Amino acid sequence: MDDFVTRSYNTLNPRGKPQNSTPFIDLIALASEDFNAVKYLETILPPYSEEAIRTYSENLKEAKSSAAVDLQKNVYKNYNEFIKISKEVSKMESDMLVLRNLLNELKVINDSVKDDEGNVDDTSSQSSVETDEGIIDNKLDQQLQFLYDNVEGIEKYLTESSSRELVAILENVSEVSNSFSKTVKNNIDLYLCNDFLVCIYKKNIGKGKVVHILDKCFPLNEIKVEEIKRQSMIKISSVKETLPLIYFCDNIGSLVIFIRSIKANIELVKAQENEHEDENENENEIDDFKTDINFKDNSSSILKPEDLDKRRRSKRISISTFSSTRSPVKDELTSSEITWLTELPDELDVLIAQRDFDKAVVLIEKAKNILKIEDSQKNRSFRKILDEKISSLSNSICSELSDPLLIKSQVRSNINRLLRLDMAEKAQEIFLSSRSELISHRIRQLVFNGETNQYIKELATIDFTLIKNTCEWYNDSFKDPKMSSTFIIWVIKEIDKYISIFRNQVLKSKSNFSVARECIETTNEQIKMLKSVGLDMNQYILDKLRKDIILSMIHYCEIENNYIYLALSKDNLVVNESAKNKKKIDDKNVILTSSLITFEDIITNFETNTKCLMNITFYEDVIKCFTRLILEYINSLNNILMKNKLTNNQNLAVLQNCVYVIKYLLPSLVERLKNEFDRPIPEMDELLINLQGILEKMEKFTCSLLSDFFLENNTILPSPNYQIDENISDDATPTNEIIKFTDDVYKFDMNKYTLLDCNTLYPLIFEDIFIKLINKVESCVFTTGGVQQFVLDIHFFLQVCEKFINDSINQLANKLCEYALRSYYLTITNEKENNPNSTTDISLKVGDWYAERINKMHDEIEMKYPKFVIFE
């Protein structure tokens, strides 16, 4: 494409004006972000002609096709790197989520430490913590008050209550449909209270103003919440709604914290469902406190209002308090657990020996849960022993998984066991390795009997079937999408092995290209089964084999060229009445020579054998081969015509072969190629123009040979008939020479060359005849009667051959007669100089006389020459 653009730029002269008829392609302008096609065309096209604009349009299409091919290659070239980066990004997201959870747990621990150290006399630290908590709680109270004051329709569901607290807020979420196919509503905030979940819709009314409208409101004891992890969504199911509500949040960290908070509060509400709560909780607490202090010393401190408020706010259940209450950390093992862990290794050994892997995995999972306690020397010893047993168990499972004779259910079971043992990567490695060994084993079992196409068919069937089955088993066993990149790499490696065998057995063996075609078609057919499991490797295989396929196709083209030369060497270029060489074209029976029949078979076979390559990948190379074959045949015919002394019939046979190729064979081929490639073929249009130029030269050369033939067999100039001194008589007739010449021209048999156009060839012959007569006439001597006889003969020839006479021939005939008259007047002048007493005042006949004479002598000529072709 760069060469194309360079050629386009070279069409400019130093001042920027076009030196030839083709505009240039400005890549900088086309790549601009603010590119305007209309302005660009208005700027670049006005100086050029319509033909130049058509050429420019074809150049743009060619550049577009080249760019599309380059883009496909670049996409595949960077595919592996893209997979690697995607895997790293996914891993980083997972690490960030783990880190966020660790930070939350750290916050829980810090809060617990602060609660435990609440009685320590550290005034400044306690004051700082209380200040931070007060700021957060105050902000939540303000936002709760905002709901009461500014949200339209909230009064129907929520009334102001001193017992209601705002726990958490999830902002800017989107409600999506249950099929995740479309967004139902955007700009939604979820407010979590200790008794209700409120959904607020923010409606933009213009000029930056937003109205808050109550969308939905759910009591916490009537809903169920689930997290859809892969899509970063929360699903809320209500007993009053037929379908669950699904909300999407792009901030996965905030989403996780909000979900945990809402689950904690739902559990708290359900736990307190059977407990009676007073409407005015603050007053009851104050009354209870006052009752309690009646039994205490008067010196005891009285609870202040701010302390009461602090106690009330402590009832908010956030993600931190939930995490600490739901996951208590054990300090040490119980005696029963120690006993069970001590006996576990022996039991695992028995289960592994008995190959009861499922029960062994269950026991290991139970042991791991027990050992989730604070680190100690005893715990470390148990973990060490457990790790050894896990290693022994995984080795046994991997050994079984590597067996290529396992059925699908057995493979899935073994992989599932390894996944439960946190050995996903090892399971993946063992599974793919065993499948590779199975494929290699099946390929080694194939027997090559010399039939390449049959061997490749069996190879493709085995290879692609096993890859397809592996993909199905893999997808059923490994659900984590992060592990898909490793599988794609494995598929590419297996395909590369197939490509290597294909290259060595088919393309580098230089066998008949029809074999290569059958093998390529077999590959294309068999690889379709991979599309059913989401793998489209057809283009990858073609790209990998492209260089070798092209070399093989070029070699095939060279062989076909040799067959063309051989067919021409055996062709006697004689049109015989043979059924084998006869064709029906435009309701005409056309007889072709043997070399043309062979050439047409070569083109047909080449088209059949390259049909599997007729796509954008091999477009340029396929068209080049067709162009080369056609040019070789036409140029060879041209060389035979120009350099060999052939008979007139052979010359016309060569000409008819060229006409058939250019007017019938090539256009039909171009139409079929357009349908196969589904695009225009501008290269073939250029070839057709080139061939038409060659045909015109061959027609002129053939007509020149025929004019020599007619003039050699008939002596027109010089002739004794044109040196008669007496004036021409009124009953004069054309000379026998011109009548015979005319008869020879008409009797020349062109009827068997059906494709040749007499209306094109005869004018070329007559034009060449008159040019050659003009070159002779200057050396001829004409007398009074002779010059009139010559004019009568030329007039006769023009009238008899009227249907083939054009303006150019008429002008040449007039020039010929003028030369004859000039020669006559020069002769008279010389006679007067030599003999002043000679009589030269005889008047010449006028033009009308010749026309009348030709019409009157019609019957006379017919009687004298009864077989004259013009009267037949």
Side-chain angles (χ1 to χ4, degrees):
M1 184 175 174
D2 293 337
D3 295 339
F4 174 76
V5 176
T6 303
R7 293 198 303 270
S8 299
Y9 272 101
N10 289 338
T11 60
L12 296 181
N13 61 20
R15 297 183 179 180
K17 295 182 179 180
Q19 291 180 346
N20 59 24
S21 59
T22 307
F24 71 94
I25 298 177
D26 189 352
L27 287 182
I28 298 176
L30 293 174
S32 175
E33 293 182 359
D34 55 350
F35 173 72
N36 188 314
V38 176
K39 291 183 179 179
Y40 175 77
L41 294 177
E42 289 177 350
T43 303
I44 195 172
L45 295 183
Y48 296 93
S49 64
E50 181 179 354
E51 185 63 28
I53 294 174
R54 292 179 184 274
T55 305
Y56 179 64
S57 175
E58 295 297 329
N59 292 342
L60 283 177
K61 293 178 181 178
E62 181 180 349
K64 179 181 177 182
S65 300
S66 301
V69 174
D70 293 341
L71 180 60
Q72 289 179 346
K73 292 180 179 178
N74 288 335
V75 167
Y76 177 74
K77 182 178 179 182
N78 298 326
Y79 179 75
N80 290 337
E81 192 67 20
F82 169 76
I83 292 295
K84 187 185 297 182
I85 294 174
S86 299
K87 185 175 180 181
E88 292 176 356
V89 170
S90 178
K91 184 177 179 182
M92 185 176 295
E93 289 179 352
S94 177
D95 293 342
M96 288 295 295
L97 185 58
V98 171
L99 180 60
R100 185 178 291 110
N101 293 336
L102 292 175
L103 290 174
N104 289 332
E105 293 179 3
L106 180 61
K107 184 175 181 300
V108 172
I109 295 173
N110 289 336
D111 292 342
S112 301
V113 171
K114 290 175 184 178
D115 292 339
D116 293 340
E117 297 178 353
N119 297 326
V120 179
D121 190 13
D122 189 351
T123 308
S124 60
S125 175
Q126 184 176 357
S127 175
S128 175
V129 173
E130 290 179 354
T131 301
D132 293 340
E133 292 178 352
I135 292 173
I136 295 172
D137 291 339
N138 187 40
K139 184 176 180 181
L140 290 174
D141 289 339
Q142 290 177 359
Q143 289 175 326
L144 180 60
Q145 191 62 40
F146 174 82
L147 290 181
Y148 293 139
D149 297 340
N150 296 281
V151 177
E152 296 181 6
I154 198 170
E155 64 276 359
K156 295 181 181 179
Y157 298 93
L158 296 180
T159 58
E160 293 191 34
S161 172
S162 58
S163 62
R164 181 173 296 110
E165 302 295 337
L166 184 61
V167 177
I169 302 174
L170 185 62
E171 297 181 328
N172 295 325
V173 301
S174 302
E175 182 182 350
V176 297
S177 64
N178 283 274
S179 61
F180 310 149
S181 59
K182 62 180 179 178
T183 301
V184 178
K185 192 180 293 185
N186 293 317
N187 298 328
I188 294 178
D189 292 342
L190 302 181
Y191 287 78
L192 174 63
C193 299
N194 60 346
D195 56 350
F196 277 89
L197 175 64
V198 184
C199 306
I200 306 299
Y201 170 56
K202 296 181 291 185
K203 182 179 180 181
N204 192 346
I205 60 175
K207 297 182 180 180
K209 295 182 180 181
V210 177
V211 175
H212 295 75
I213 303 172
L214 178 68
D215 190 44
K216 294 177 180 65
C217 183
F218 304 104
L220 292 185
N221 60 351
E222 295 180 358
I223 63 174
K224 179 182 177 182
V225 175
E226 297 179 31
E227 179 184 1
I228 305 176
K229 294 183 178 180
R230 295 182 181 177
Q231 287 86 6
S232 299
M233 296 180 184
I234 176 175
K235 182 165 76 171
I236 301 173
S237 304
S238 173
V239 295
K240 296 182 179 180
E241 297 285 343
T242 56
L243 292 175
L245 298 174
I246 300 175
Y247 295 97
F248 168 76
C249 178
D250 56 2
N251 189 336
I252 188 171
S254 300
L255 178 65
V256 171
I257 294 174
F258 185 82
I259 291 174
R260 292 187 179 180
S261 297
I262 193 173
K263 285 183 177 180
N265 281 273
I266 289 174
E267 289 187 4
L268 180 63
V269 170
K270 290 181 178 179
Q272 295 177 349
E273 260 185 339
N274 299 325
E275 295 180 5
H276 178 70
E277 291 184 358
D278 242 349
E279 233 179 78
N280 300 318
E281 187 179 349
N282 289 340
E283 294 178 5
N284 291 340
E285 288 178 357
I286 293 174
D287 293 339
D288 293 341
F289 177 74
K290 288 180 178 180
T291 303
D292 291 339
I293 63 173
N294 288 332
F295 299 95
K296 296 182 180 179
D297 191 80
N298 292 332
S299 59
S300 301
S301 60
I302 300 176
L303 187 65
K304 298 179 181 180
E306 54 269 21
D307 294 332
L308 181 62
D309 188 55
K310 181 178 179 181
R311 285 180 59 189
R312 177 176 58 81
R313 290 173 180 172
S314 66
K315 293 187 177 182
R316 291 192 179 103
I317 303 299
S318 66
I319 182 62
S320 299
T321 58
F322 172 68
S323 299
S324 61
T325 56
R326 286 293 301 274
S327 303
V329 179
K330 295 170 58 177
D331 294 334
E332 58 184 11
L333 296 171
T334 64
S335 59
S336 61
E337 290 174 340
I338 293 174
T339 303
W340 185 82
L341 290 171
T342 304
E343 297 173 353
L344 179 62
D346 294 335
E347 188 174 356
L348 288 175
D349 288 337
V350 173
L351 292 175
I352 293 173
Q354 294 176 345
R355 307 190 72 79
D356 192 353
F357 298 140
D358 290 327
K359 190 172 181 180
V361 171
V362 171
L363 293 178
I364 288 175
E365 289 177 336
K366 181 180 178 181
K368 285 183 176 181
N369 290 329
I370 293 175
L371 292 175
K372 287 182 179 179
I373 60 176
E374 294 183 357
D375 195 17
S376 66
Q377 182 66 30
K378 194 171 190 64
N379 294 340
R380 283 197 295 271
S381 64
F382 280 130
R383 289 194 186 100
K384 184 178 180 180
I385 296 173
L386 184 62
D387 289 341
E388 292 175 357
K389 298 307 173 184
I390 290 175
S391 177
S392 176
L393 176 60
S394 64
N395 290 335
S396 299
I397 296 174
C398 289
S399 177
E400 182 173 314
L401 179 60
S402 61
D403 186 356
L405 299 179
L406 294 181
I407 61 176
K408 183 177 181 180
S409 59
Q410 293 172 323
V411 170
R412 290 184 61 183
S413 298
N414 285 314
I415 292 176
N416 184 52
R417 293 162 185 160
L418 291 174
L419 293 177
R420 291 166 64 185
L421 294 175
D422 296 330
M423 293 186 174
E425 292 185 0
K426 190 169 184 179
Q428 184 185 50
E429 178 185 355
I430 296 296
F431 171 66
L432 294 180
S433 297
S434 66
R435 298 301 291 179
S436 295
E437 292 177 2
L438 176 61
I439 293 174
S440 299
H441 176 70
R442 293 286 180 83
I443 291 175
R444 287 194 297 269
Q445 288 180 329
L446 293 177
V447 179
F448 180 63
N449 295 323
E451 297 182 3
T452 305
N453 50 358
Q454 182 63 28
Y455 176 77
I456 293 297
K457 183 177 182 180
E458 295 175 357
L459 175 69
T461 303
I462 290 174
D463 207 344
F464 299 140
T465 301
L466 291 177
I467 291 175
K468 172 180 174 291
N469 294 341
T470 302
C471 182
E472 292 175 347
W473 295 14
Y474 189 92
N475 292 334
D476 290 341
S477 302
F478 298 95
K479 302 297 184 180
D480 189 357
K482 297 176 184 177
M483 305 184 75
S484 60
S485 59
T486 303
F487 176 72
I488 295 299
I489 294 173
W490 177 85
V491 171
I492 291 175
K493 287 182 180 179
E494 294 303 319
I495 293 294
D496 286 341
K497 293 178 185 178
Y498 174 83
I499 290 172
S500 178
I501 298 174
F502 188 97
R503 182 185 290 115
N504 294 328
Q505 294 291 338
V506 179
L507 300 178
K508 289 189 176 180
S509 62
K510 292 186 178 180
S511 57
N512 192 328
F513 195 79
S514 61
V515 175
R517 183 256 303 170
E518 291 179 7
C519 294
I520 293 173
E521 289 177 346
T522 298
T523 301
N524 293 339
E525 185 66 28
Q526 292 296 326
I527 206 170
K528 288 180 181 178
M529 68 176 69
L530 296 184
K531 291 185 179 180
S532 62
V533 292
L535 295 174
D536 189 357
M537 304 300 294
N538 186 47
Q539 190 62 40
Y540 175 78
I541 292 177
L542 289 180
D543 288 340
K544 280 285 188 178
L545 293 173
R546 184 177 185 276
K547 183 178 178 181
D548 297 287
I549 291 176
I550 291 173
L551 291 176
S552 181
M553 182 170 60
I554 292 174
H555 176 69
Y556 172 44
C557 185
E558 292 174 353
I559 294 174
E560 296 304 306
N561 272 331
N562 293 332
Y563 284 131
I564 291 174
Y565 299 144
L566 181 63
L568 285 170
S569 66
K570 295 180 178 180
D571 190 1
N572 58 8
L573 300 176
V574 175
V575 175
N576 296 321
E577 294 290 340
S578 172
K580 180 181 178 182
N581 296 350
K582 188 180 294 185
K583 284 183 176 290
K584 192 80 171 180
I585 301 175
D586 297 337
D587 296 329
K588 300 178 182 177
N589 290 320
V590 181
I591 304 173
L592 306 173
T593 67
S594 61
S595 65
L596 182 57
I597 298 298
T598 303
F599 173 72
E600 189 170 18
D601 291 339
I602 289 173
I603 291 295
T604 302
N605 292 333
F606 194 87
E607 180 184 359
T608 301
N609 290 331
T610 58
K611 204 164 192 175
C612 59
L613 305 179
M614 290 184 184
N615 53 58
I616 194 64
T617 304
F618 299 97
Y619 168 80
E620 184 178 353
D621 303 287
V622 171
I623 298 302
K624 281 183 179 179
C625 288
F626 276 110
T627 302
R628 180 181 175 186
L629 290 174
I630 295 172
L631 272 177
E632 287 292 342
Y633 182 70
I634 296 299
N635 286 330
S636 297
L637 288 178
N638 188 29
N639 291 332
I640 290 173
L641 180 66
M642 298 291 181
K643 297 180 181 180
N644 295 280
K645 293 183 179 181
L646 306 177
T647 64
N648 290 329
N649 286 329
Q650 288 177 321
N651 289 334
L652 292 173
V654 169
L655 201 60
Q656 179 169 263
N657 286 355
C658 291
V659 171
Y660 178 79
V661 172
I662 295 171
K663 291 187 177 181
Y664 297 97
L665 191 150
L666 181 57
S668 175
L669 174 64
V670 171
E671 287 302 317
R672 294 195 299 271
L673 292 178
K674 285 181 179 178
N675 293 332
E676 291 294 334
F677 286 105
D678 194 21
R679 55 158 292 170
I681 315 291
E683 295 86 352
M684 285 296 181
D685 295 336
E686 295 176 3
L687 173 64
L688 184 59
I689 294 173
N690 186 13
L691 295 181
Q692 286 174 344
I694 296 174
L695 177 61
E696 289 178 1
K697 293 179 181 179
M698 294 175 69
E699 287 176 341
K700 288 182 179 180
F701 183 78
T702 302
C703 290
S704 176
L705 295 177
L706 288 174
S707 67
D708 288 338
F709 169 75
F710 293 136
L711 290 174
E712 287 172 2
N713 292 338
N714 297 275
T715 304
I716 299 177
L717 291 176
S719 173
N721 295 320
Y722 303 143
Q723 297 179 8
I724 301 173
D725 293 333
E726 292 83 4
N727 195 4
I728 190 170
S729 64
D730 290 336
D731 58 352
T733 61
T735 62
N736 293 333
E737 288 84 353
I738 196 67
I739 294 175
K740 181 177 180 300
F741 177 76
T742 307
D743 193 40
D744 287 347
V745 171
Y746 266 91
K747 283 183 178 180
F748 186 77
D749 188 12
M750 282 193 185
N751 293 329
K752 58 184 177 181
Y753 305 103
T754 316
L755 297 182
L756 298 182
D757 186 4
C758 294
N759 294 323
T760 299
L761 296 181
Y762 272 119
L764 291 175
I765 294 172
F766 295 160
E767 188 173 343
D768 193 68
I769 287 173
F770 279 105
I771 290 174
K772 290 173 180 176
L773 290 177
I774 288 174
N775 294 331
K776 283 186 176 184
V777 74
E778 294 181 351
S779 60
C780 295
V781 176
F782 292 92
T783 59
T784 303
V787 72
Q788 295 183 83
Q789 183 66 49
F790 180 73
V791 174
L792 179 63
D793 287 350
I794 297 300
H795 195 89
F796 168 79
F797 181 79
L798 293 178
Q799 188 164 338
V800 172
C801 304
E802 182 178 5
K803 64 179 179 179
F804 299 124
I805 303 301
N806 54 33
D807 292 338
S808 176
I809 297 173
N810 276 324
Q811 292 176 3
L812 290 173
N814 290 335
K815 183 182 285 189
L816 180 62
C817 292
E818 289 175 6
Y819 279 133
L821 290 171
R822 187 182 297 115
S823 176
Y824 163 69
Y825 284 117
L826 287 175
T827 302
I828 293 176
T829 302
N830 291 332
E831 288 181 1
K832 281 190 176 183
E833 290 178 356
N834 297 329
N835 185 9
N837 297 325
S838 62
T839 303
T840 58
D841 55 352
I842 300 174
S843 61
L844 298 175
K845 300 292 184 181
V846 296
D848 293 338
W849 180 85
Y850 296 103
E852 292 175 1
R853 185 66 199 130
I854 295 299
N855 293 331
K856 288 180 180 179
M857 69 180 190
H858 182 281
D859 296 334
E860 298 177 13
I861 295 175
E862 186 175 9
M863 291 178 61
K864 189 174 182 180
Y865 300 97
K867 294 183 179 180
F868 189 43
V869 70
I870 196 64
F871 299 126
E872 289 181 354

